[in-house]
PDB file of all heavy atoms in Angstrom:
ATOM      1  N   LYS B  77      -1.976 -20.964  -0.484  1.00 96.00           N
ATOM      2  CA  LYS B  77      -2.765 -19.811  -0.406  1.00 96.00           C
ATOM      3  C   LYS B  77      -2.284 -18.731   0.559  1.00 96.00           C
ATOM      4  O   LYS B  77      -2.322 -17.550   0.282  1.00 96.00           O
ATOM      5  CB  LYS B  77      -4.163 -20.277  -0.037  1.00 96.00           C
ATOM      6  CG  LYS B  77      -5.252 -19.085  -0.403  1.00 96.00           C
ATOM      7  CD  LYS B  77      -6.664 -19.705   0.056  1.00 96.00           C
ATOM      8  CE  LYS B  77      -7.727 -18.541  -0.375  1.00 96.00           C
ATOM      9  NZ  LYS B  77      -9.117 -19.068  -0.062  1.00 96.00           N
ATOM     10  N   GLU B  78      -1.807 -19.273   1.634  1.00 97.00           N
ATOM     11  CA  GLU B  78      -1.195 -18.363   2.799  1.00 97.00           C
ATOM     12  C   GLU B  78       0.055 -17.718   2.536  1.00 97.00           C
ATOM     13  O   GLU B  78       0.477 -16.875   3.244  1.00 97.00           O
ATOM     14  CB  GLU B  78      -1.318 -19.101   4.079  1.00 97.00           C
ATOM     15  CG  GLU B  78      -0.305 -20.233   4.315  1.00 97.00           C
ATOM     16  CD  GLU B  78      -0.834 -21.593   3.802  1.00 97.00           C
ATOM     17  OE1 GLU B  78      -1.811 -21.527   3.125  1.00 97.00           O
ATOM     18  OE2 GLU B  78      -0.236 -22.552   4.194  1.00 97.00           O
ATOM     19  N   ARG B  79       0.904 -18.209   1.601  1.00 97.00           N
ATOM     20  CA  ARG B  79       2.154 -17.763   1.433  1.00 97.00           C
ATOM     21  C   ARG B  79       2.479 -17.218   0.003  1.00 97.00           C
ATOM     22  O   ARG B  79       2.217 -17.893  -0.978  1.00 97.00           O
ATOM     23  CB  ARG B  79       3.112 -19.093   1.726  1.00 97.00           C
ATOM     24  CG  ARG B  79       4.633 -18.784   1.784  1.00 97.00           C
ATOM     25  CD  ARG B  79       5.428 -20.026   2.040  1.00 97.00           C
ATOM     26  NE  ARG B  79       5.090 -20.595   3.371  1.00 97.00           N
ATOM     27  CZ  ARG B  79       5.690 -20.252   4.552  1.00 97.00           C
ATOM     28  NH1 ARG B  79       6.760 -19.400   4.423  1.00 97.00           N
ATOM     29  NH2 ARG B  79       5.405 -20.715   5.663  1.00 97.00           N
ATOM     30  N   PHE B  80       3.200 -16.095   0.166  1.00 98.00           N
ATOM     31  CA  PHE B  80       3.523 -15.529  -1.223  1.00 98.00           C
ATOM     32  C   PHE B  80       4.921 -15.157  -1.018  1.00 98.00           C
ATOM     33  O   PHE B  80       5.324 -14.242  -0.167  1.00 98.00           O
ATOM     34  CB  PHE B  80       2.674 -14.281  -1.401  1.00 98.00           C
ATOM     35  CG  PHE B  80       2.667 -13.598  -2.757  1.00 98.00           C
ATOM     36  CD1 PHE B  80       2.964 -14.378  -3.863  1.00 98.00           C
ATOM     37  CD2 PHE B  80       2.439 -12.328  -2.957  1.00 98.00           C
ATOM     38  CE1 PHE B  80       2.946 -13.805  -5.166  1.00 98.00           C
ATOM     39  CE2 PHE B  80       2.472 -11.689  -4.140  1.00 98.00           C
ATOM     40  CZ  PHE B  80       2.681 -12.519  -5.302  1.00 98.00           C
ATOM     41  N   SER B  81       5.793 -15.581  -1.907  1.00 98.00           N
ATOM     42  CA  SER B  81       7.144 -15.276  -1.734  1.00 98.00           C
ATOM     43  C   SER B  81       7.712 -14.346  -2.934  1.00 98.00           C
ATOM     44  O   SER B  81       7.269 -14.596  -4.171  1.00 98.00           O
ATOM     45  CB  SER B  81       8.035 -16.554  -1.864  1.00 98.00           C
ATOM     46  OG  SER B  81       7.589 -17.527  -0.958  1.00 98.00           O
ATOM     47  N   LEU B  82       8.586 -13.445  -2.712  1.00 98.00           N
ATOM     48  CA  LEU B  82       9.106 -12.647  -3.711  1.00 98.00           C
ATOM     49  C   LEU B  82      10.734 -12.966  -3.880  1.00 98.00           C
ATOM     50  O   LEU B  82      11.333 -13.205  -2.819  1.00 98.00           O
ATOM     51  CB  LEU B  82       9.142 -11.165  -3.180  1.00 98.00           C
ATOM     52  CG  LEU B  82       9.728 -10.068  -4.141  1.00 98.00           C
ATOM     53  CD1 LEU B  82       8.845  -9.846  -5.377  1.00 98.00           C
ATOM     54  CD2 LEU B  82       9.876  -8.768  -3.416  1.00 98.00           C
ATOM     55  N   ILE B  83      11.096 -13.105  -5.055  1.00 98.00           N
ATOM     56  CA  ILE B  83      12.298 -13.701  -5.302  1.00 98.00           C
ATOM     57  C   ILE B  83      13.204 -12.626  -6.046  1.00 98.00           C
ATOM     58  O   ILE B  83      12.672 -12.252  -7.137  1.00 98.00           O
ATOM     59  CB  ILE B  83      12.368 -15.052  -6.068  1.00 98.00           C
ATOM     60  CG1 ILE B  83      11.537 -16.018  -5.228  1.00 98.00           C
ATOM     61  CG2 ILE B  83      13.842 -15.632  -6.351  1.00 98.00           C
ATOM     62  CD1 ILE B  83      10.712 -17.049  -6.060  1.00 98.00           C
ATOM     63  N   LEU B  84      14.427 -12.304  -5.553  1.00 97.00           N
ATOM     64  CA  LEU B  84      15.346 -11.513  -6.454  1.00 97.00           C
ATOM     65  C   LEU B  84      16.308 -12.570  -6.979  1.00 97.00           C
ATOM     66  O   LEU B  84      17.113 -13.031  -6.134  1.00 97.00           O
ATOM     67  CB  LEU B  84      15.950 -10.508  -5.560  1.00 97.00           C
ATOM     68  CG  LEU B  84      15.170  -9.253  -5.060  1.00 97.00           C
ATOM     69  CD1 LEU B  84      14.116  -9.679  -4.146  1.00 97.00           C
ATOM     70  CD2 LEU B  84      16.041  -8.218  -4.468  1.00 97.00           C
ATOM     71  N   GLU B  85      16.342 -12.759  -8.203  1.00 95.00           N
ATOM     72  CA  GLU B  85      17.152 -13.814  -8.710  1.00 95.00           C
ATOM     73  C   GLU B  85      18.629 -13.479  -8.642  1.00 95.00           C
ATOM     74  O   GLU B  85      19.368 -14.370  -8.409  1.00 95.00           O
ATOM     75  CB  GLU B  85      16.783 -14.065 -10.363  1.00 95.00           C
ATOM     76  CG  GLU B  85      15.378 -14.563 -10.462  1.00 95.00           C
ATOM     77  CD  GLU B  85      15.182 -16.001 -10.100  1.00 95.00           C
ATOM     78  OE1 GLU B  85      16.403 -16.737  -9.903  1.00 95.00           O
ATOM     79  OE2 GLU B  85      14.051 -16.560  -9.903  1.00 95.00           O
ATOM     80  N   SER B  86      18.910 -12.304  -8.801  1.00 97.00           N
ATOM     81  CA  SER B  86      20.350 -11.811  -8.814  1.00 97.00           C
ATOM     82  C   SER B  86      20.327 -10.382  -8.181  1.00 97.00           C
ATOM     83  O   SER B  86      20.099  -9.442  -9.027  1.00 97.00           O
ATOM     84  CB  SER B  86      21.022 -11.891  -9.982  1.00 97.00           C
ATOM     85  OG  SER B  86      22.404 -11.403  -9.974  1.00 97.00           O
ATOM     86  N   ALA B  87      20.441 -10.245  -6.831  1.00 98.00           N
ATOM     87  CA  ALA B  87      20.236  -8.998  -6.313  1.00 98.00           C
ATOM     88  C   ALA B  87      21.164  -7.886  -6.860  1.00 98.00           C
ATOM     89  O   ALA B  87      22.384  -8.187  -7.058  1.00 98.00           O
ATOM     90  CB  ALA B  87      20.407  -9.103  -4.680  1.00 98.00           C
ATOM     91  N   SER B  88      20.622  -6.669  -6.914  1.00 98.00           N
ATOM     92  CA  SER B  88      21.469  -5.670  -7.386  1.00 98.00           C
ATOM     93  C   SER B  88      21.283  -4.471  -6.390  1.00 98.00           C
ATOM     94  O   SER B  88      20.285  -4.312  -5.689  1.00 98.00           O
ATOM     95  CB  SER B  88      21.120  -5.138  -8.903  1.00 98.00           C
ATOM     96  OG  SER B  88      19.763  -4.655  -8.863  1.00 98.00           O
ATOM     97  N   THR B  89      22.296  -3.509  -6.407  1.00 98.00           N
ATOM     98  CA  THR B  89      22.116  -2.359  -5.368  1.00 98.00           C
ATOM     99  C   THR B  89      20.976  -1.589  -5.603  1.00 98.00           C
ATOM    100  O   THR B  89      20.480  -0.867  -4.732  1.00 98.00           O
ATOM    101  CB  THR B  89      23.506  -1.553  -5.573  1.00 98.00           C
ATOM    102  OG1 THR B  89      23.555  -1.090  -6.868  1.00 98.00           O
ATOM    103  CG2 THR B  89      24.632  -2.224  -5.043  1.00 98.00           C
ATOM    104  N   ASN B  90      20.492  -1.384  -6.916  1.00 97.00           N
ATOM    105  CA  ASN B  90      19.225  -0.617  -7.069  1.00 97.00           C
ATOM    106  C   ASN B  90      17.934  -1.418  -6.540  1.00 97.00           C
ATOM    107  O   ASN B  90      16.880  -0.682  -6.555  1.00 97.00           O
ATOM    108  CB  ASN B  90      19.001  -0.155  -8.444  1.00 97.00           C
ATOM    109  CG  ASN B  90      18.886  -1.331  -9.492  1.00 97.00           C
ATOM    110  OD1 ASN B  90      18.599  -2.557  -9.036  1.00 97.00           O
ATOM    111  ND2 ASN B  90      18.981  -0.981 -10.751  1.00 97.00           N
ATOM    112  N   GLN B  91      18.136  -2.486  -6.000  1.00 98.00           N
ATOM    113  CA  GLN B  91      16.952  -3.233  -5.205  1.00 98.00           C
ATOM    114  C   GLN B  91      16.965  -2.985  -3.833  1.00 98.00           C
ATOM    115  O   GLN B  91      16.114  -3.596  -3.089  1.00 98.00           O
ATOM    116  CB  GLN B  91      16.920  -4.714  -5.734  1.00 98.00           C
ATOM    117  CG  GLN B  91      16.638  -4.913  -7.088  1.00 98.00           C
ATOM    118  CD  GLN B  91      16.634  -6.330  -7.638  1.00 98.00           C
ATOM    119  OE1 GLN B  91      17.677  -7.168  -7.201  1.00 98.00           O
ATOM    120  NE2 GLN B  91      15.528  -6.855  -8.099  1.00 98.00           N
ATOM    121  N   THR B  92      17.863  -2.206  -3.330  1.00 98.00           N
ATOM    122  CA  THR B  92      17.841  -1.765  -1.881  1.00 98.00           C
ATOM    123  C   THR B  92      16.645  -0.913  -1.705  1.00 98.00           C
ATOM    124  O   THR B  92      16.362   0.067  -2.363  1.00 98.00           O
ATOM    125  CB  THR B  92      19.054  -0.971  -1.581  1.00 98.00           C
ATOM    126  OG1 THR B  92      20.235  -1.727  -1.624  1.00 98.00           O
ATOM    127  CG2 THR B  92      19.029  -0.265  -0.171  1.00 98.00           C
TER     128      THR B  92
END
Side-chain angles (χ1 to χ4, degrees):
Chain B
K77 194 174 186 181
E78 67 269 19
R79 186 180 296 269
F80 192 33
S81 304
L82 180 69
I83 303 154
L84 287 66
E85 295 289 342
S86 177
S88 64
T89 54
N90 63 14
Q91 292 178 309
T92 291

